[in-house]
Amino acid sequence: MGGEREEVKLLGVWYSPYAIRPKIALSLKSVYFDYFEEDLFGSKSELLLKSNPVHKKVPVLIHNNKPILESLNIVEYIDETWNSSGPSILPSHPYDRSQARFWSAYVDDKWFPALRAAAITKSEDAKAKRMEEVEEGLLRLEEAFVTISKGKPFFGGEAIGFMDICLGSYLVLLKAREKLKGEKLLDESKTPSLCKWAEEFLYDDTVKNVVPEIDKVAEFLEKLEAMTQPAVSKS
Amino acid sequence: MGGEREEVKLLGVWYSPYAIRPKIALSLKSVYFDYFEEDLFGSKSELLLKSNPVHKKVPVLIHNNKPILESLNIVEYIDETWNSSGPSILPSHPYDRSQARFWSAYVDDKWFPALRAAAITKSEDAKAKRMEEVEEGLLRLEEAFVTISKGKPFFGGEAIGFMDICLGSYLVLLKAREKLKGEKLLDESKTPSLCKWAEEFLYDDTVKNVVPEIDKVAEFLEKLEAMTQPAVSKS
């Protein structure tokens, strides 16, 4: 499959980790696509509402008029559709595939929700408890990385794979928070392998061309926080 | 792959919809397996704790000493590992696969959590709101079924597939609740195609041999409710 005459559209927002995922996958497979930036603070496009009536969320991939939804589902679709171009995103052995899917679900369903909950709660106790979960999660992921990568630079081995895309999509957000709040989650002394992996990931040519600038995301996060803070003067 | 000398173990609990899934998948593929019943009310087995240290939950499939976790992940693993025996569980076309994965995620992450929340909340208002979501979800699933099945008996076409296993695994629970509380969620007048599908699914030979009896599940639910109710006399 694949080829120049296919119509591939991607609906996303520039700062979303989830929208970064199909961008990386499409780039790995050298698939040309038209990108449409959505305005989630204004009104959502007709195309988004029509393509994803259930969740009304980005990213949405539209391939020859058929919408594919949910970021990791889209990445699997890209891997299966353009299976002869570029590297394979999921590993080839069923056990390795099940590991990639398991850890990706862990990251999306457990680890990141804890980080998000820590970021929005007003209670200092709740925040501390959630941050403990986040750090515990990173230790688990460090261990998983060492086991899965077997000394190679990525979860996917020599090349970026499914789990790299999943966890890697959050890195710019982590770096932006580090810049903004001095919150250093990836710490050399606790998760040395993940730290090295993160560097390799962000300096990869495909990724570099696709992820937003850390400064720009930090600025966006600052604006977002100001919007959601009560309107009292800081003095 | 496959063959008689492989060691396949499944850890589950008899009443869990999630543990039903790998049982159906293994049966569809005619894979012989040893089943180990866990006691989640007593103490979990060493094998479970060792195999799933992150979530400590069932089901766990252990294939030649390697644990595979999360019910739908296990079903995909079974489909990929024993790919030459029995019917294919996931559809062959990437778009159809993405649909099966999307709707399965919808069922597990949105629809069933709403039903569970309705069942445990003490507030009548919250219960009514959640039940509205559950019913709205069933209407969406009715529409999805009509689109995907194209007049055939299952989401998977002529044979039981991924999405059938996912949604179908909840059917015994639904029927048990119907028996216990008179709560009729699958209603001929609202979701006629899903009602017909549910009948076909539960009367399928593979499924019949694997799912628990509705009466037994109803009895279990009743005991469970009595355990979690405050100790006041009903008068």
Side-chain angles (χ1 to χ4, degrees):
Chain A
M1 289 192 70
E4 282 127 306
R5 272 194 269 154
E6 301 200 72
E7 195 190 53
V8 183
K9 292 177 185 169
L10 179 66
L11 317 186
V13 290
W14 67 271
Y15 49 83
S16 158
Y18 307 107
I20 291 174
R21 294 172 176 178
K23 282 187 189 170
I24 296 176
L26 289 166
S27 301
L28 286 172
K29 298 286 190 179
S30 309
V31 176
Y32 179 82
F33 63 99
D34 289 310
Y35 177 71
F36 297 83
E37 177 75 16
E38 288 288 330
D39 176 9
L40 300 187
F41 296 95
S43 55
K44 296 174 181 179
S45 75
E46 279 301 313
L47 190 57
L48 173 57
L49 298 175
K50 197 185 91 184
S51 309
N52 191 355
V54 177
H55 303 301
K56 304 175 181 69
K57 286 196 301 191
V58 294
V60 174
L61 183 79
I62 306 173
H63 183 202
N64 297 334
N65 291 319
K66 285 184 170 177
I68 298 101
L69 311 172
E70 304 280 354
S71 64
L72 292 179
N73 196 16
I74 295 174
V75 171
E76 287 219 49
Y77 175 84
I78 293 167
D79 196 31
E80 291 172 352
T81 300
W82 290 278
N83 58 354
S84 56
S85 41
S88 186
I89 293 173
L90 272 157
S92 57
H93 191 280
Y95 179 72
D96 300 332
R97 294 162 75 87
S98 82
Q99 288 286 94
R101 289 186 185 121
F102 171 78
W103 285 110
S104 298
Y106 175 76
V107 165
D108 275 9
D109 301 340
K110 297 278 170 193
W111 179 76
F112 189 69
L115 183 62
R116 196 175 41 208
I120 57 176
T121 180
K122 301 287 175 217
S123 142
E124 284 304 316
D125 277 3
K127 192 185 288 290
K129 200 169 163 281
R130 290 308 198 154
M131 286 312 285
E132 241 175 65
E133 287 170 32
V134 170
E135 282 167 30
E136 204 181 282
L138 286 172
L139 294 178
R140 281 194 196 284
L141 290 165
E142 168 85 6
E143 209 184 306
F145 177 77
V146 171
T147 309
I148 293 171
S149 67
K150 298 188 189 82
K152 292 182 178 157
F154 298 111
F155 284 93
E158 295 297 349
I160 284 172
F162 193 69
M163 177 59 184
D164 298 290
I165 294 176
C166 173
L167 185 59
S169 66
Y170 293 112
L171 282 176
V172 170
L173 192 63
L174 257 54
K175 296 269 175 194
R177 284 173 62 98
E178 192 176 317
K179 201 175 169 91
L180 211 62
K181 300 170 186 290
E183 171 194 88
K184 199 167 168 58
L185 283 177
L186 282 176
D187 182 327
E188 279 284 347
S189 67
K190 291 179 188 159
T191 54
S193 305
L194 273 191
C195 286
K196 198 152 174 274
W197 163 82
E199 251 178 64
E200 293 266 9
F201 182 82
L202 288 174
Y203 285 92
D204 177 273
D205 277 340
T206 306
V207 173
K208 249 195 307 197
N209 285 326
V210 158
V211 297
E213 282 169 42
I214 294 166
D215 284 354
K216 218 177 134 197
V217 174
E219 211 175 281
F220 172 75
L221 284 181
E222 209 167 14
K223 272 190 202 157
L224 200 65
E225 278 196 7
M227 272 168 65
T228 53
Q229 292 292 326
V232 288
S233 64
K234 286 181 199 168
S235 61
Chain B
M1 289 193 69
E4 280 127 303
R5 273 195 266 152
E6 300 200 74
E7 195 190 54
V8 183
K9 293 177 184 168
L10 179 67
L11 316 187
V13 289
W14 66 270
Y15 49 84
S16 157
Y18 306 107
I20 292 173
R21 294 171 177 179
K23 282 187 189 171
I24 296 176
L26 289 166
S27 300
L28 286 172
K29 298 287 189 176
S30 308
V31 176
Y32 178 82
F33 63 100
D34 290 310
Y35 177 72
F36 298 83
E37 177 75 15
E38 289 287 331
D39 177 10
L40 301 187
F41 295 94
S43 55
K44 296 174 181 177
S45 75
E46 279 301 312
L47 190 58
L48 172 58
L49 298 175
K50 197 185 91 185
S51 309
N52 191 355
V54 177
H55 303 301
K56 305 175 181 70
K57 288 195 300 192
V58 295
V60 174
L61 183 79
I62 306 174
H63 183 202
N64 296 335
N65 291 317
K66 286 184 169 176
I68 298 100
L69 311 172
E70 305 279 354
S71 65
L72 292 179
N73 196 17
I74 295 173
V75 172
E76 288 218 48
Y77 175 84
I78 293 168
D79 196 30
E80 291 172 353
T81 300
W82 290 279
N83 58 355
S84 55
S85 39
S88 187
I89 294 173
L90 272 157
S92 58
H93 191 280
Y95 179 72
D96 299 332
R97 294 163 75 87
S98 83
Q99 288 286 94
R101 290 188 185 119
F102 172 79
W103 284 110
S104 297
Y106 175 76
V107 165
D108 275 10
D109 302 340
K110 298 276 171 198
W111 179 75
F112 188 69
L115 183 60
R116 195 174 41 208
I120 58 176
T121 181
K122 302 287 174 215
S123 142
E124 284 305 316
D125 276 3
K127 194 185 287 289
K129 199 168 164 278
R130 289 308 197 154
M131 287 311 286
E132 239 175 64
E133 286 170 33
V134 170
E135 283 168 28
E136 204 182 282
L138 286 172
L139 295 178
R140 282 194 195 285
L141 289 165
E142 168 84 6
E143 209 184 307
F145 177 77
V146 171
T147 309
I148 292 171
S149 66
K150 298 188 188 80
K152 292 183 177 157
F154 298 111
F155 284 93
E158 295 297 349
I160 284 172
F162 194 70
M163 177 58 184
D164 298 291
I165 295 176
C166 174
L167 186 59
S169 66
Y170 293 112
L171 282 175
V172 170
L173 192 64
L174 256 56
K175 297 268 174 195
R177 284 172 62 98
E178 191 175 318
K179 198 172 172 96
L180 211 62
K181 300 171 186 291
E183 171 196 87
K184 199 167 168 58
L185 283 176
L186 282 176
D187 181 329
E188 278 285 348
S189 67
K190 290 178 189 161
T191 54
S193 305
L194 273 191
C195 286
K196 196 149 176 277
W197 162 82
E199 249 177 68
E200 293 267 7
F201 182 82
L202 288 173
Y203 284 92
D204 177 273
D205 277 338
T206 306
V207 173
K208 248 195 307 196
N209 285 325
V210 158
V211 297
E213 282 169 42
I214 292 165
D215 284 354
K216 220 178 133 196
V217 174
E219 212 174 281
F220 172 75
L221 285 181
E222 210 167 14
K223 273 191 200 156
L224 200 66
E225 279 196 4
M227 273 167 64
T228 53
Q229 290 292 326
V232 288
S233 64
K234 286 182 198 163
S235 59

